[in-house]
């Protein structure tokens, strides 16, 4: 969590792809994300309804971020597993190169994952490994532009809520 907050505070662009988001985890980074949006940082987030774990309340929190300028998409994976966890923080970019840091690993956005759970995440910096950092950025862009990644709407949340509640009575 401290490394994520520090990276959010230094970024000019933030890209996050996680399989699920819980309000307990989003509340830990929401203020920093809102501050970033106020500073005109571009934020793109992709999550999913995979296994019906993402909480509807967290989706409403994402809608608030979206209203403030974040781009939020839901990856409708169908029967395909959507289980990635990637946090990308770009500090500087031009037409061909990005500079920054990415964390790729096992941490979804949940209180446990961001604070005390047993999670492994690999830190990749553009300074240490430009090719890998660039590949992570490119793969995120491909995911974000995939036709299965749809813009989060209140209607989507309403439809998802019934599936979520059936699984979590």
């Amino acid at each position: 969590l401290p490394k994520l907050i520090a990276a959010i505070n230094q970024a000019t662009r933030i890209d996050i792809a996680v399989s699920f988001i819980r309000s307990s985890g989003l509340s830990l980074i929401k203020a920093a994300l809102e501050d970033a949006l106020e500073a005109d940082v571009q934020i793109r987030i992709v999550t999913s309804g995979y296994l019906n774990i993402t909480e509807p309340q967290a989706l409403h929190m994402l809608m608030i971020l979206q209203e403030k300028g974040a781009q939020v998409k839901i990856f409708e994976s169908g029967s395909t597993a959507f289980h990635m966890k990637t946090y990308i923080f770009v500090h500087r970019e031009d037409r061909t190169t990005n500079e920054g840091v990415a964390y790729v690993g096992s941490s979804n956005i949940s209180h446990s994952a961001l604070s005390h759970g047993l999670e492994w995440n690999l830190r990749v910096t553009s300074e240490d490994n430009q090719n890998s950092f660039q590949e992570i950025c490119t793969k995120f862009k491909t995911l974000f532009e995939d036709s299965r990644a749809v813009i989060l709407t209140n209607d989507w949340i309403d439809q998802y809520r019934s599936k979520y509640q059936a699984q979590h009575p």
Side-chain angles (χ1 to χ4, degrees):
L1 179 62
K3 291 178 183 184
L4 284 182
I5 298 293
I8 290 168
N9 292 338
Q10 296 173 6
T12 59
R13 188 181 82 228
I14 300 167
D15 293 334
I16 299 173
V18 290
S19 58
F20 68 81
I21 299 179
R22 312 225 6 122
S23 56
S24 65
L26 188 54
S27 65
L28 296 174
I29 61 172
K30 185 173 178 261
L33 293 172
E34 288 174 331
D35 289 347
L37 287 168
E38 286 234 354
D40 291 327
V41 173
Q42 179 187 19
I43 298 176
R44 300 183 296 183
I45 300 171
V46 180
T47 191
S48 75
Y50 179 61
L51 300 177
N52 301 321
I53 297 173
T54 293
E55 294 174 327
Q57 180 181 353
L59 295 171
H60 283 293
M61 293 170 72
L62 289 174
M63 286 294 295
I64 292 168
L65 290 175
Q66 189 167 254
E67 290 167 5
K68 294 180 178 191
Q71 295 174 281
V72 181
K73 291 189 174 184
I74 300 292
F75 193 85
E76 295 183 328
S77 60
S79 61
T80 303
F82 185 86
H83 212 254
M84 64 188 63
K85 292 99 177 161
T86 304
Y87 301 80
I88 304 167
F89 304 96
V90 175
H91 303 141
R92 192 180 76 70
E93 60 188 313
D94 59 36
R95 296 182 74 204
T96 59
T97 308
N98 295 323
E99 291 180 10
V101 61
Y103 295 92
V104 179
S106 67
S107 298
N108 281 296
I109 297 179
S110 69
H111 186 273
S112 173
L114 298 182
S115 63
H116 63 273
L118 297 176
E119 304 281 347
W120 284 20
N121 296 287
L122 178 64
R123 182 177 185 260
V124 178
T125 67
S126 58
E127 183 178 343
D128 293 335
N129 195 332
Q130 179 62 41
N131 289 339
S132 291
F133 183 76
Q134 193 62 42
E135 182 178 0
I136 293 165
C137 292
T138 300
K139 297 246 183 213
F140 179 89
K141 182 180 179 191
T142 300
L143 175 72
F144 195 79
E145 294 174 353
D146 190 290
S147 63
R148 294 169 289 178
V150 299
I151 296 171
L152 178 64
T153 64
N154 285 314
D155 287 341
W156 195 95
I157 296 171
D158 291 342
Q159 291 174 7
Y160 172 75
R161 182 180 289 109
S162 62
K163 290 185 262 184
Y164 178 86
Q165 289 173 336
Q167 187 171 326
H168 306 276

